[in-house]
Amino acid sequence: MLLEHLNSKLRAIAAQDLTRFLREAETPTAPHQRVRGADGVARELLMFCSNDYLGLAAHPRVAEALAEGARLYGGGSGASPLVSGHSVAHARVSQTLADWFAPHIPRARSLGFCTGYMANLGVITALGDADTEIFSEALNHASLIDGTRLARAQVTRYGHGDVEQLRALLAQSRAKVKLIVTDAVFSMDGDIAPLPQLLALADEFDAWLVVDDAHGFGVLGEQGRGSLEHFGLRSERLILIGTLGKAAGLAGAFVVAHETITEYLLQAARNFIFSTASPAAVEHALLTSLELIASETGRARRRHLVALQARLEAGIGALLARHPALPWRLAPSQTPVRPLIIGGNAEVMELAARLEREGLRVPGIRPPTVAKGEARLRITLCATHTEADVERLLAALDAAATDMERAAA
Ligand SMILES: *Cc1c(COP(=O)(O)O)cnc(C)c1O
């Protein structure tokens, strides 16, 4: 009965062109990677899909630090942080991050989580008690949405970037505690939330601003500290969540907030308390990765990334002008996340499959991850891409556009 039930649901997923499948990478995370497809055949692919924005995942110093960490601390941490899983390496990562954000959040303290998903779930469920109203941005990441579903708080959604709607909702609220929750950089769109305006509303209505900077940390700001540095924000009302599996190239996440908030999370966030701490070796390697983010290497990589973004944007602009009959459009992004909106699910998957046959991996993103009719290629750039890599993508997209236009005519 269960199997029949699931098979019928799987068929429904397939009928909507929504079936997902796993590929297997055989080489390190990098723009040029050997990947085994669903057909079992391994191919050399030019990847425009990882969130390893600074190319640190396979950086020799990061890999060496991980190996050194394993020699120093062994494999797993053995227990949850409050039992015996917390190490000096964990503490040093937290201290480094607290110091980094001290200019932005007074009395900042940092608390580590195993993944960004866990950090988001932990923060939203721990802070979102029955006295709280959560104001949740429409395009928030699934992990924030899942947090609001598990929380006991009242949840009110506001439109994407709609500061005026949020103001009206805050003005109506009678809740004792108000939390505004938003992605800093929207993961499927690449645009940046209007954080200064949101913070001004938090001040005006005595609310707190939870910022998920998964895609800004390491990438935005002169020193790579992310969207708070990008906007030059400073407030006790900021609760920052950052992830360490994207630009930092490893794994994990952190929350930086006023020390009372992080102390409460340590006492109350169930997935902090009841889950095995990350391996100390990973934390040891994170120290090297954080050092690289802050160093001249990090700055140079961020500059190169900005140059690649400009090249891609100009190239796609020219391509769209050459193919006016196609409904494609480039999302207005200021980050290395550069979605090309195609429209239908079948169209985007056909395009992604064609690119893959030509040796380029650019994932198609479909509903429910994005709105219906807005299926897209989610192009992400990394500092380890070259100009030639971007030119190759542009040429492949142009050839596909020519064929699709011809087929439609
Ligand atoms: C990736 C992502 C997360 C989850 O982080 P993980 O460390 O991958 O679990 C959370 N929020 C946003 C916006 C993300 O893009």
Side-chain angles (χ1 to χ4, degrees):
M1 190 55 217
L2 173 65
L3 300 186
E4 251 170 62
H5 180 60
L6 298 184
N7 274 321
S8 95
K9 293 219 262 193
L10 286 170
R11 278 192 298 276
I13 291 171
Q16 296 172 76
D17 294 307
L18 289 176
T19 302
R20 305 166 190 254
F21 61 90
L22 287 166
R23 295 169 177 75
E24 296 172 14
E26 295 184 342
T27 58
T29 300
H32 295 270
Q33 209 171 7
R34 198 173 160 77
V35 179
R36 194 180 294 274
D39 54 7
V41 179
R43 296 177 183 83
E44 303 290 336
L45 293 178
L46 173 53
M47 313 289 276
F48 286 96
C49 47
S50 93
N51 305 311
D52 177 31
Y53 300 119
L54 297 182
L56 296 183
H59 193 288
R61 283 195 53 204
V62 173
E64 183 44 47
L66 190 58
E68 184 183 74
R71 285 191 293 272
L72 286 168
Y73 300 101
S77 66
S80 60
L82 291 165
V83 175
S84 63
H86 192 66
S87 70
V88 289
H90 289 84
R92 284 176 65 200
V93 169
S94 286
Q95 190 54 54
T96 302
L97 290 165
D99 292 345
W100 278 22
F101 289 101
H104 301 286
I105 306 176
R107 305 182 67 174
R109 216 176 96 188
S110 175
L111 190 69
F113 283 79
C114 289
T115 69
Y117 192 109
M118 295 267 274
N120 282 346
L121 224 58
V123 169
I124 305 299
T125 53
L127 301 184
D129 63 15
D131 289 325
T132 301
E133 182 170 357
I134 295 173
F135 299 86
S136 179
E137 144 81 58
L139 294 191
N140 274 347
H141 188 261
S143 55
L144 290 172
I145 296 171
D146 290 356
T148 65
R149 286 178 182 162
L150 278 173
R152 296 176 58 207
Q154 181 188 337
V155 180
T156 307
R157 215 172 88 127
Y158 67 93
H160 181 52
D162 196 341
V163 175
E164 282 318 307
Q165 185 192 13
L166 176 60
R167 161 188 292 282
L169 293 168
L170 284 164
Q172 279 168 26
S173 175
R174 296 279 162 270
K176 209 157 102 187
V177 179
K178 305 179 190 77
L179 285 184
I180 304 166
V181 176
T182 186
D183 279 17
V185 174
F186 292 91
S187 53
M188 296 301 140
D189 292 73
D191 56 335
I192 305 176
L195 296 180
Q197 289 93 314
L198 298 181
L199 191 55
L201 286 183
D203 274 328
E204 187 179 341
F205 292 99
D206 187 23
W208 297 78
L209 181 58
V210 178
V211 175
D212 172 358
D213 208 14
H215 299 276
F217 182 73
V219 172
L220 296 175
E222 171 64 23
Q223 306 183 78
R225 293 181 189 181
S227 53
L228 303 192
E229 186 194 355
H230 173 78
F231 285 116
L233 300 179
R234 176 177 172 83
S235 170
E236 197 172 82
R237 298 184 177 278
L238 289 163
I239 300 168
L240 176 70
I241 300 160
T243 59
L244 300 165
K246 289 173 179 162
L250 280 154
F254 60 88
V255 180
V256 184
H258 185 282
E259 58 192 357
T260 302
I261 297 173
T262 42
E263 175 62 19
Y264 181 72
L265 292 173
L266 185 147
Q267 302 300 333
R270 292 170 60 81
N271 56 9
F272 176 81
I273 299 170
F274 296 108
S275 186
T276 300
S278 63
V282 171
E283 303 294 318
H284 183 76
L286 277 168
L287 292 167
T288 296
S289 155
L290 294 177
E291 196 186 304
L292 285 166
I293 288 173
S295 72
E296 182 47 37
T297 302
R299 275 191 291 279
R301 290 188 175 207
R302 284 187 288 278
R303 280 194 299 274
H304 179 58
L305 202 45
V306 169
L308 291 176
Q309 285 167 221
R311 178 66 200 104
L312 181 73
E313 189 170 320
I316 293 190
L319 181 156
L320 296 179
R322 279 194 298 278
H323 303 283
L326 288 177
W328 299 5
R329 65 193 166 84
L330 190 64
S333 156
Q334 304 108 291
T335 66
V337 180
R338 295 277 159 168
L340 179 61
I341 299 169
I342 304 299
N345 298 346
E347 285 87 343
V348 83
M349 294 326 283
E350 197 182 301
L351 180 55
R354 171 189 172 129
L355 292 173
E356 196 159 330
R357 284 195 299 276
E358 294 172 3
L360 294 120
R361 166 96 174 107
V362 192
I365 308 286
R366 295 157 287 180
T369 310
V370 295
K372 226 172 149 180
E374 292 201 359
R376 63 197 61 191
L377 289 180
R378 181 176 180 270
I379 304 168
T380 59
L381 295 168
C382 298
T384 34
H385 281 122
T386 62
E387 292 266 346
D389 291 335
V390 173
E391 297 303 335
R392 194 175 146 204
L393 172 63
L394 289 168
L397 284 172
D398 197 57
T402 302
D403 288 349
M404 284 171 86
E405 215 172 29
R406 202 171 289 148

